[in-house]
Each structure stands twice: as structure tokens, then as C-alpha cells.
Amino acid sequence: MQNNEGEIGKRGFSPFLDRILLIFSAIGTALILSKVLHFGKYGFDFTDEGFYLNWIANPFMYDASISQFGFLYHPLYIAFSEDVASLRRANVLITFLIAWWLAFSTLRSLNKGHSEEVFSLHVLASGLATSSLIYFDNWLLTPSYNSLTLQALMIAAIGLILVCTPGYSDGVVGWVLIGIGGCLSFVAKPSTALILGLFLGIYFVATKRSSFLKMGVSVLAAILLFGIISVVIDGSIPAFIDRLYLGFELSQLLGSGHGISNLFRLDDINISKRELAHFLVITLASFASIRLGCSNSGNWRAISIIFLIPFLYTSLKLGFGVPPKIIDTLALHDLVIWSIVLSIIFSGVAASGKAISFATFSSQLGIAFIFLTMPFFYAFGTGNNYWSSGSSASIFWLIGSLVSLGSLAKSKPASSFLLPVVLSVQALVALMLHQGMERPYRQNQPLSENQSVTELGRSKSKLILSSEYSNYIESAKNLAHQGGFEINTPFIDLTGQSPGISFALGGVSLGQAWFIGGYPGSVDLANASLDRVPCSMIADAWLLLEPNGPNSIPIEVVNRQGYRFPEGYVEKGALLPPGWIGSSAITRHQILYSPDPLSKRNSLETCLLKRREERN
């Protein structure tokens, strides 16, 4: 009798423990998400983020582009009354919700056959979905071609899960989602769409999981969406293709290392000894918690809590905005999420009592491989390290590794073996986001220290910035407004690294959303872009120069159009930009100029004459 009662006690303790941990997980998800959303109004990067906002605010200004993210996010920008903080928060929520859908679809497919409560699956899925927020760990929350690429790949991945799970009634929906995700990835980043389509095609043909008719549904969905986007942007598919071709030609002028010859490469993993030590400690702790949490014994599962305590403590403390002191000593590598990935794989092998048999593993081996390589699909085409760039799409590594727990999924409900995984993931996500807020990309101080409310853009969007950044923007606005600068005034920024000023003033950046400097072909790209801008707009354009700046573009690109500097311009004043603008923390100065009304007509006529001579 006592033995029976003991067994009942053990069986009764595990569900109770699961409930407690599920509550902790739900709280952790809520805290992580709310913190990111709260700090959506903090900080501003004048380089990449300035480029994104210039594109999104005025996408129809540019007739040549490889990525069309500006067009797709423009309606969202308008819907939120051009408020930057709201746009950022919307981007975070869209990314998180798609990731939640992906995680839920994956857990539902793994746990098929169990009467797991939908609530539990959603809590677990939302916890796993926080890994998608690793994308924001450099604190660039504004939508971009990168965020659109990630969102597109997750949509395609959801479709892949749906069509590859036997017995699902929403297979057609899955094929449509694959087509939509593929098309959106092409619109965001054609190189990613190329490699995605290649691998999916090989997978479906090799595994014989589909007929050409089913794959045709995806192709048709992609073509229809592509046609709609083409017509909305350029009026026709041929005109849109011309945009892409010209955008590709212009991109080759820059010489930024994004050429076709540089696409296929194997990058090194650069990790310091300190980062490796922390990586191993996290791997061992997470493995112990996951392995013991997979046990059928209530006692062993209770012991697993000991290893989870650091993760729970870290996640909750960071969520409430009180970081533990130990965080200051941590050195987290971009690939730290692999500590959880490896723990999942090792736990799956250990739980089976032997190496996972090929018979058990082979049915999902292909889809696991696709997921594990998706971060490289995301990074494919970038000039940066593929491992580092791919870490922004870490959610795919997590989803791919879950296949190693397939045998466990068949024998027990998801909550009984995934809770340690989810809680470990949430703690790492909280750590990475905290470090991102402490060292935001190309900004001069932690976001929590920002106190200056600053208005920028046409809609006077309010962001909370450092006093140094705020003073820079206010000085630029004062000089511009005193000189008669109006909203939507054409603007040419030749600093090579301050496109955010054009947006902050409410101007329209001509030729490119960012005349990026510092590359071998920066001048060639600026010349080719301005050649496509009407002379009348160049005549009205204000100039921002950075004499002797490390990335500045020479004024000759304007003189080449038929305008004469300095004769045709009036100096409005000097600016002292913060040292952290751009890639180097050095002291520099910038000068703002407006076109001279007395010289404008002659300059315009010279430009028009020069264009006619070139055409002839």
C-alpha cells in the first residue's frame, strides 16, 4: 500500500512541477517581450537605421533596387502615422508572432498523438519563439531587408512543417505558405530566395514527399504574389524586372564584397577562450537540466530544477530590469545559442539509451537539415561572416535540433521534456537582449541611460536618446529651419555615414537612401545614382558635407551634374556629430548648405544641357 502511494506521489508531483515551470515560462515570455517593446522608443542609429527609415519613408523615390523592403513596410509606416517607435514595435511583434506560429506548428507535429493541452503547447511555443528576438540583440528594431528575410523564411518554414507532417488537413495551406515565403524572401533578398528554392526543390524531389502538382501550388502562389508586388511598385512585371536588373548593376559598382563570386564560401568561427569557457559551462548546465528533466522519475525531474535555477533567476531578474552582477563578467558569443542546440541533441541521444537509429531519424533527417541550414540561407549573400550573420536566425537551429527528441515526443507529452529547453532558451535570450541594450549598435551609451526626448522626421516622432545624440539632431534641425528648410526638401548627404540626418530633418534623400562611403566604388555608385535624379530635384537639394571625413564622398559628384560648389550654395552652419556615428569613434565636423536661389536657375540649365549632350 505504501509503495502504491509512493508511486502515486511521484506521478502526481511531475504534473505539478510542470505547471509551476509553465507559469515561469509564460511570465518569462511576457517579461522579455514587454521589455523589448518598452525600449522600442529608445536609441537611434544614424547609419543603418537611417538608411532603413529613408527607404521606408520614401520608397517610390528610387527606381533601382535589389531589395524592396521599403515598399513592403511603407504601408505599416503610414498606418502608424510615421511614428518610428510604433513601427519598431510592430516589427518586433510581427517577428515574434510568426515565430510563435512556427514553434507551435513544430511542437504540434512532434507531439502528434498525445492529448497535450493546447495551452501548454502555446506556452512552450511562445517561449521558443523568444529566440527569434535574438535578431534584435544589436538593437536595430526598425524593419529592414534583414527582418523581412527572417520573417519570409519563417513563413516558408511553417509551410514546410505543414506539408511534411502526415495527417495534417492543412497541407494546401502549407504549400501556399512556402510560395508566399519564397516570394517574400526574393523581394527582401534575392540571394536568400535562390538558395532556399534550390534546397527545397532538392529536398522534395529526393524524398518524394510531393507531386509536381503540389509543388505547382507553391510556384503559383509565389508567381501571383510576385505579380501583385510588381504591379504595385512599378506598374508591370517587366518594369519591376528592369528595377531589379538596374539595382544589381548599381550594387556591383560599390565593390562591397557582395558579388556572385563571394557567395559560396566557408567562414571561420572566431571565438575567444573566455567565450568558449562560458559556452561550455552553459552547455553543461542546460544539458543536465534537459537530460534530468526528460526522466520518468519525479525525483530526478525535481533535481533538474537545481540546474535550471540560474536560468530562471537570470531570466526573471533581467525581465524586471535588475541584472545580476555576474552578467557583467559574461562574454557571450553570437553562437551561444548552440549551447542549447547541442544540449538538445545530446539529450535526445542519451534519452534513447543509444545513438538514434537511422530508421527513427531518417524520416525527419531532411527537414532537420533544412532547418539547421536556414540561418545560412538567411546570411547567404552578405559580405559579413556567415556564422555571425546567421546567428540572427538562431530560431532555426533550435527548431532543427528538436528532431533529436523525436523518440521522446512519441512517448510523452511535450511539456514533460521541453520545459528545461524553453527555460534555458529564455534565459539566454534575455542575456543577449540585455547586452544589446547595454551596447546598442553604433550608439554611445546604454539605452537605460538615455533621457533626452527628441522629435525627428516629418511626423515629429518622439525617441529617447542620449544628450549627445539629441543635441546633434536639434542643432541640425535649428540650422535647417532657420535657413528655410521645409518638409520633403530634397537632400544629398555626402558624409558617407549620416543618412539618419536626412530622415530626422524630414527631408528626402536623393539618388540613394544612403550614399554609403568607405568602399572602392562609393563615388561610382553616387555618380550613377545622381545621373538618374531629375535636374530640378538636384537644384533644390540641400547638402551635408563632412570635410576630410573617413567615409565622406567628394563634392565632385554634385559638380559633375552641372552644379558648382561652393559658388552655387549658401553655408548654413557647422555641426559636431557624436563620435560614435559611423564605424569609427573620431572627432569630426559637418557643414550644412542650401542651394543659392540666385544661382539655381543657371545651375539647372547647365544640368539639363549636360544631360541632353550625354543622351546625344
Side-chain angles (χ1 to χ4, degrees):
M1 183 71 177
Q2 289 178 345
N3 289 339
N4 288 339
E5 288 178 354
E7 290 299 318
I8 292 172
K10 287 182 180 180
R11 289 199 301 270
F13 179 72
S14 288
F16 173 75
L17 182 63
D18 289 346
R19 287 292 178 183
I20 296 297
L21 294 181
L22 277 171
I23 292 172
F24 271 109
S25 178
I27 293 173
T29 298
L31 289 174
I32 291 171
L33 188 59
S34 62
K35 189 166 186 177
V36 176
L37 295 176
H38 171 72
F39 279 94
K41 60 186 176 182
Y42 284 74
F44 185 71
D45 165 45
F46 286 92
T47 53
D48 294 70
E49 191 169 26
F51 161 63
Y52 304 153
L53 289 169
N54 281 337
W55 234 117
I56 294 170
N58 303 288
F60 292 96
M61 282 296 302
Y62 313 108
D63 63 352
S65 52
I66 294 179
S67 175
Q68 319 309 324
F69 75 92
F71 294 102
L72 268 70
Y73 288 122
H74 182 68
L76 197 63
Y77 178 67
I78 298 301
F80 287 106
S81 303
E82 303 187 356
D83 181 67
V84 174
S86 297
L87 180 68
R88 290 172 172 177
R89 288 165 175 158
N91 191 39
V92 171
L93 284 174
I94 289 170
T95 301
F96 175 77
L97 291 174
I98 297 175
W100 190 344
W101 186 9
L102 171 60
F104 180 77
S105 299
T106 303
L107 296 186
R108 189 175 61 157
S109 67
L110 285 174
N111 213 223
K112 200 167 182 62
H114 289 284
S115 57
E116 184 85 3
E117 291 183 12
V118 174
F119 170 79
S120 298
L121 284 182
H122 274 299
V123 171
L124 292 168
S126 65
L128 287 173
T130 59
S131 63
S132 67
L133 302 181
I134 292 174
Y135 168 82
F136 301 107
D137 69 347
N138 58 3
W139 220 255
L140 289 176
L141 273 60
T142 297
S144 68
Y145 62 92
N146 285 321
S147 64
L148 183 57
T149 301
L150 176 60
Q151 292 159 7
L153 285 175
M154 289 194 294
I155 291 172
I158 294 168
L160 186 60
I161 289 290
L162 296 182
V163 302
C164 292
T165 302
Y168 270 13
S169 60
D170 37 10
V172 175
V173 174
W175 290 110
V176 172
L177 288 175
I178 290 174
I180 292 174
C183 179
L184 290 178
S185 66
F186 180 81
V187 171
K189 191 177 172 187
S191 58
T192 292
L194 171 68
I195 199 73
L196 173 67
L198 177 64
F199 271 72
L200 287 184
I202 293 174
Y203 169 74
F204 285 126
V205 171
T207 58
K208 299 179 181 179
R209 283 184 175 269
S210 65
S211 64
F212 285 106
L213 179 61
K214 290 179 179 178
M215 286 191 288
V217 174
S218 288
V219 174
L220 180 60
I223 290 174
L224 287 175
L225 183 57
F226 179 82
I228 293 171
I229 291 173
S230 300
V231 171
V232 170
I233 292 176
D234 285 310
S236 68
I237 293 178
F240 184 71
I241 293 175
D242 287 342
R243 164 188 290 277
L244 292 172
Y245 179 74
L246 183 57
F248 176 77
E249 284 192 327
L250 291 177
S251 70
Q252 296 306 294
L253 294 175
L254 189 60
S256 59
H258 291 73
I260 294 177
S261 61
N262 197 41
L263 289 178
F264 298 94
R265 65 181 194 273
L266 184 63
D267 291 326
D268 295 329
I269 299 177
N270 301 313
I271 184 168
S272 68
K273 291 182 179 179
R274 186 170 173 231
E275 289 172 334
L276 180 60
H278 291 159
F279 178 90
L280 292 175
V281 169
I282 294 171
T283 301
L284 290 173
S286 59
F287 170 73
S289 64
I290 294 170
R291 179 68 190 95
L292 293 175
C294 291
S295 173
N296 292 321
S297 167
N299 291 334
W300 283 116
R301 298 198 68 214
I303 293 174
S304 73
I305 299 295
I306 296 174
F307 295 94
L308 279 177
I309 287 175
F311 294 105
L312 291 168
Y313 176 72
T314 300
S315 184
L316 293 177
K317 289 281 280 186
L318 288 174
F320 284 110
V322 188
K325 292 182 179 180
I326 191 174
I327 286 180
D328 295 332
T329 67
L330 284 175
L332 295 182
H333 192 269
D334 290 336
L335 301 179
V336 68
I337 199 68
W338 269 93
S339 62
I340 308 297
V341 172
L342 293 176
S343 299
I344 293 171
I345 295 174
F346 294 156
S347 298
V349 172
S352 67
K354 58 181 180 178
I356 299 174
S357 67
F358 184 77
T360 303
F361 194 64
S362 60
S363 63
Q364 292 182 322
L365 180 61
I367 193 170
F369 177 77
I370 292 291
F371 279 126
L372 289 172
T373 53
M374 269 192 172
F376 302 105
F377 298 172
Y378 167 86
F380 189 67
T382 182
N384 299 322
N385 183 283
Y386 276 2
W387 285 99
S388 180
S389 297
S391 66
S392 295
S394 293
I395 185 173
F396 294 115
W397 284 328
L398 284 170
I399 296 296
S401 67
L402 289 178
V403 71
S404 66
L405 298 178
S407 58
L408 285 172
K410 293 178 181 179
S411 62
K412 57 180 66 177
S415 59
S416 65
F417 63 89
L418 274 183
L419 273 167
V421 173
V422 173
L423 293 168
S424 301
V425 167
Q426 289 175 307
L428 276 191
V429 171
L431 275 170
M432 296 177 77
L433 290 174
H434 174 75
Q435 292 197 359
M437 287 185 279
E438 288 296 299
R439 294 186 289 272
Y441 184 70
R442 291 182 177 173
Q443 297 183 50
N444 61 338
Q445 66 183 33
L447 296 178
S448 59
E449 296 179 11
N450 292 357
Q451 295 182 347
S452 300
V453 179
T454 309
E455 295 181 346
L456 66 164
R458 295 181 300 216
S459 64
K460 297 183 178 180
S461 231
K462 288 190 172 94
L463 295 179
I464 302 176
L465 312 179
S466 68
S467 58
E468 194 176 6
Y469 274 41
S470 179
N471 291 339
Y472 174 52
I473 290 176
E474 292 300 332
S475 297
K477 286 163 58 177
N478 290 337
L479 288 179
H481 295 156
Q482 289 171 9
F485 188 94
E486 297 179 354
I487 296 299
N488 293 325
T489 294
F491 198 87
I492 299 177
D493 173 19
L494 297 180
T495 67
Q497 57 192 9
S498 302
I501 278 295
S502 175
F503 177 82
L505 296 178
V508 177
S509 182
L510 295 188
Q512 294 279 322
W514 178 9
F515 280 137
I516 186 169
Y519 288 97
S522 292
V523 173
D524 292 336
L525 178 59
N527 284 331
S529 300
L530 284 179
D531 284 346
R532 306 187 63 79
V533 177
C535 289
S536 58
M537 296 193 75
I538 300 177
D540 291 330
W542 286 50
L543 304 179
L544 182 63
L545 308 183
E546 188 174 287
N548 302 315
N551 295 315
S552 61
I553 295 172
I555 191 61
E556 281 72 26
V557 299
V558 174
N559 290 341
R560 180 177 175 273
Q561 300 298 324
Y563 300 89
R564 305 311 303 169
F565 180 88
E567 294 87 353
Y569 292 87
V570 179
E571 181 178 331
K572 295 300 179 182
L575 296 170
L576 294 175
W580 280 103
I581 286 184
S583 57
S584 54
I586 62 173
T587 302
R588 56 177 73 98
H589 73 281
Q590 299 173 344
I591 304 175
L592 187 65
Y593 294 88
S594 69
D596 184 354
L598 299 178
S599 305
K600 186 184 298 186
R601 182 172 179 178
N602 289 336
S603 298
L604 177 59
E605 291 176 352
T606 303
C607 178
L608 292 171
L609 178 61
K610 189 174 184 299
R611 297 273 176 95
R612 284 195 294 268
E613 290 175 349
E614 289 175 351
R615 285 196 298 267
N616 296 332

